[in-house]
Every structure is written in C-alpha cells, then in structure tokens.
Amino acid sequence: MVNGIGWRKSSIFIINFNENMVLFDCFRLSTGASWLCYYKALQMGPASAVVPIDKLSLVVTVIFSYFVFHEKLNKKSLCGFICLIVGTLLMLL
C-alpha cells in the first residue's frame, strides 16, 4: 500500500506509510522508556552520579558512528568530543 512519494537525489522513492508508523511508534516507546529509566535512576541515586552516566551516551554514540558507519571526525568535532569527555569526567569528581 503506497501512501506517498518523496524525492531524493532526483529519483523517486516510495514511502510505505504503515512501515514508517511502526518505526515511529517504536522510537516513541523507546524514548519514553529511556526517560522513565532516567527518572527512576534519579530517584535511586544522587544526580551527581546519574547525570554524568547519562552524558556518556553521547560518547558511546560518537564511538559507535566511527566504528560502525565509518564516519570521520574533523578537527572541530574531535575537539568537541574531547571536551565532552573531559567535562563528563570533571562532573564525576
């Protein structure tokens, strides 16, 4: 069942509305679950320990994209990545 047509690099691709809605619902559920876990962690432990662990998810994302998707870090992105790691470690002190 085709519900839409989109354009990408001068070619037409077909969007299946039902499949996209299933993915969208999965993203919504996973985001909601992550927030529930975050709030539960804040209830169980001090924010000074929970927040740095939460911020490390950005570090994991960058490392994942580098090794899995072979994305390159330019000098500016690498500098920001290092600042993120240092800032997270400083929050743990």
Side-chain angles (χ1 to χ4, degrees):
M1 181 172 157
V2 176
N3 291 328
I5 297 177
W7 297 92
R8 182 178 180 181
K9 294 184 180 178
S10 301
S11 65
I12 297 176
F13 64 96
I14 308 229
I15 301 170
N16 189 336
F17 186 74
N18 293 333
E19 288 178 11
N20 287 338
M21 288 309 293
V22 169
L23 281 175
F24 182 67
D25 288 340
C26 288
F27 292 143
R28 288 187 323 160
L29 290 173
S30 65
T31 301
S34 96
W35 276 103
L36 290 174
C37 291
Y38 182 70
Y39 286 130
K40 184 64 177 175
L42 284 173
Q43 288 176 349
M44 294 174 65
S48 61
V50 173
V51 173
I53 293 170
D54 176 55
K55 296 304 170 198
L56 282 176
S57 66
L58 297 172
V59 174
V60 171
T61 302
V62 172
I63 292 170
F64 182 80
S65 68
Y66 180 78
F67 286 109
V68 174
F69 298 119
H70 306 290
E71 292 184 6
K72 302 297 180 202
L73 288 174
N74 58 24
K75 289 180 184 179
K76 186 177 179 181
S77 297
L78 184 61
C79 181
F81 181 64
I82 291 170
C83 288
L84 182 71
I85 292 172
V86 170
T88 301
L89 293 176
L90 285 174
M91 284 194 300
L92 287 172
L93 297 177

